[in-house]
Amino acid sequence: MSEWPLVSVYMPTQNRLASMRAAVESVLGQTYRNVELVVVDDGSTDETPLWLAERARQDPRLKVLRHDQGRGACAARNEAIRASTGGFLTGLDDDDEFKPHHIEALLAYWKLLTSMGDQPSVLYVQYEFRSGDKRWYSAKVGRCTAEMMLEANHVGNQLFGPRDRFVSAGLFDEDMPAWQDLEFFYRILKLHGPGRLLDLPTYVFDVAPRPDRISSKSKQKVLRACQLMYAKHGQSNGRVMQLMLLQVFSEYYGFRPDTTDLRQFMKQGWWAEGWYQMMRRWLRQPAKV
């Protein structure tokens, strides 16, 4: 690894001019300057194309691609990754931000770990959550394996690591109706080994309520994603399906299982703790919409 490797950042965007501008500036304003930001405009109809074109003229580190019609965030992410040229890669959503030292801290931690003989597959960071004026922080595990991702997405929505590890894992599955990050990151960890946590909240995650958030999607879409992931990675193991069903009915989504969901869970086999947790979800009040 060269002393100052190029770090590529991929970002999809669609019709979020104000938050997208802040996201772009948070990358171009990093203390680590050798960055490349690849933004794919997924068919925006607001002023996004004009602003991106002008900003790219001002700073050649910003590369802009465009879809005339929306093809979905995963298609946009995949195109950005394929167009990236850095030795290292990470992502940013268009309504989130990097703190100024985010990339510098990740590279420094990567160099520290590898100099000590540790070989993580990827890194992930803590989040600073924001909703209006409120601020709070995540508490992620220090080391995450692929198997741990079956019980919960312990790494979040972004990873940092060598670009070839993203490409070799096959990129995002554009047919997944939900859990796109979870499923792709599972493949990366399965292929390349555990990831490690940089225990700093250098990623600002906007969790203000919004209709297009994954947590606002229908129960049927999340259940379908669970079924697709099980078909790809479950290896006919009933306990894996039970773990993933507990994710579907976690507090994050607020979905309440019905009797059909309970029967599907129970036919996977006896698991005392799992049955107890599923019954607790069944007895709780449904989330208010």
Side-chain angles (χ1 to χ4, degrees):
M1 182 180 67
S2 65
E3 185 177 0
W4 305 107
L6 176 65
V7 177
S8 295
V9 181
Y10 62 87
M11 188 176 80
T13 190
Q14 185 186 66
N15 293 333
R16 291 181 185 159
L17 179 61
S19 64
M20 179 274 296
R21 291 172 59 178
V24 167
E25 298 300 345
S26 78
V27 177
L28 299 181
Q30 288 289 294
T31 56
Y32 186 82
R33 303 297 296 169
N34 195 21
V35 298
E36 167 191 73
L37 173 58
V38 184
V39 177
V40 174
D41 175 10
D42 193 36
S44 293
T45 56
D46 60 5
E47 297 300 310
T48 290
L50 293 175
W51 187 88
L52 284 172
E54 176 60 27
R55 194 65 182 91
R57 282 192 289 269
Q58 298 169 1
D59 194 328
R61 296 178 301 163
L62 172 60
K63 298 181 179 180
V64 181
L65 304 172
R66 175 169 168 79
H67 297 159
D68 290 333
Q69 294 183 338
R71 292 167 46 193
C74 284
R77 291 186 185 105
N78 287 342
E79 184 168 353
I81 291 172
R82 285 190 288 263
S84 65
T85 60
F88 284 83
L89 182 70
T90 191
L92 177 64
D93 287 347
D94 64 355
D95 55 352
D96 297 332
E97 297 175 32
F98 291 162
K99 289 190 176 180
H101 58 285
H102 176 73
I103 291 176
E104 182 178 9
L106 282 163
L107 274 175
Y109 191 48
W110 184 274
K111 292 180 180 181
L112 174 64
L113 290 175
T114 55
S115 71
M116 298 174 62
D118 195 340
Q119 297 295 329
S121 63
V122 287
L123 301 178
Y124 52 100
V125 302
Q126 302 284 17
Y127 288 154
E128 178 183 293
F129 293 109
R130 293 183 184 176
S131 181
D133 295 331
K134 296 180 180 179
R135 302 287 187 273
W136 66 100
Y137 300 92
S138 60
K140 298 179 183 177
V141 296
R143 179 179 179 273
C144 184
T145 66
E147 290 70 24
M148 292 169 64
M149 295 287 281
L150 299 174
E151 63 184 29
N153 184 349
H154 291 289
V155 301
N157 70 334
Q158 308 295 348
L159 295 177
F160 171 91
R163 177 183 179 276
D164 58 8
R165 295 184 183 172
F166 291 74
V167 175
S168 62
L171 304 185
F172 290 91
D173 185 341
E174 297 175 20
D175 293 326
M176 292 286 288
W179 286 12
Q180 297 95 337
D181 298 330
L182 174 67
E183 194 275 331
F184 180 35
F185 297 165
Y186 172 89
R187 282 185 274 126
I188 292 176
L189 298 179
K190 189 72 173 178
L191 182 62
H192 296 292
R196 291 284 299 274
L197 171 71
L198 169 61
D199 196 11
L200 293 173
T202 60
Y203 189 100
V204 178
F205 195 108
D206 178 8
V207 294
R210 200 179 65 227
D212 58 343
R213 286 210 177 278
I214 185 70
S215 55
S216 299
K217 288 189 176 180
S218 72
K219 170 185 162 183
Q220 281 65 38
K221 284 188 176 181
V222 180
L223 274 173
R224 178 58 181 158
C226 174
Q227 293 162 357
L228 289 172
M229 185 159 177
Y230 181 70
K232 293 178 69 171
H233 307 298
Q235 298 181 335
S236 301
N237 186 329
R239 180 62 58 83
V240 170
M241 174 56 85
Q242 289 173 322
L243 287 168
M244 291 194 297
L245 284 171
L246 288 174
Q247 282 204 64
V248 171
F249 298 106
S250 66
E251 291 184 2
Y252 176 75
Y253 297 107
F255 302 141
R256 182 174 179 266
D258 57 26
T259 54
T260 299
D261 302 318
L262 290 176
R263 285 196 297 269
Q264 182 184 17
F265 188 92
M266 292 176 178
K267 75 178 183 180
Q268 304 302 323
W270 169 249
W271 176 27
E273 176 61 23
W275 284 34
Y276 170 72
Q277 293 297 334
M278 194 66 171
M279 290 301 297
R280 288 187 61 188
R281 288 155 168 77
W282 181 61
L283 292 170
R284 75 185 173 198
Q285 294 297 317
K288 295 181 179 179
V289 179

